[in-house]
Amino acid sequence: MSTRGCVAIQNGTGWRGVYNHSDSYPWGLGAELHEHLQGRNLRDFAWSLMKHDDWKDYLSGGVCPYCGRVGLGQPHS
């Protein structure tokens, strides 16, 4: 069983976010997000994040680490 979650950005009138399939606990996704944001410009991060629909897709730059294809969303095995 996976612990689903999201990384969301407030955009003035509401929220936009990307899906995360597993390990969305504070010590999983929360720690990963905290580490990832260190030294980053938050506005640039938000714009970049919203180009994706999945947290793992964002981290991989949109390239599936298994097959090398672009734009698949969450990496598959």
Side-chain angles (χ1 to χ4, degrees):
M1 184 102 177
S2 294
T3 305
R4 292 154 184 85
C6 71
V7 176
I9 307 290
Q10 188 173 17
N11 66 2
T13 60
W15 293 83
R16 284 197 58 204
V18 297
Y19 175 71
N20 186 61
H21 185 71
S22 61
D23 298 327
S24 295
Y25 294 106
W27 52 87
L29 176 61
E32 185 175 27
L33 181 60
H34 180 268
E35 181 68 28
H36 183 76
L37 291 176
Q38 298 305 303
R40 293 189 188 271
N41 177 295
L42 295 181
R43 186 175 301 273
D44 291 344
F45 164 72
W47 280 107
S48 180
L49 181 68
M50 291 302 109
K51 294 177 185 174
H52 301 276
D53 61 357
D54 182 273
W55 175 246
K56 299 297 185 205
D57 183 56
Y58 163 77
L59 290 177
S60 71
V63 178
C64 177
Y66 302 107
C67 70
R69 291 175 49 197
V70 175
L72 296 177
Q74 178 150 1
H76 60 89
S77 57

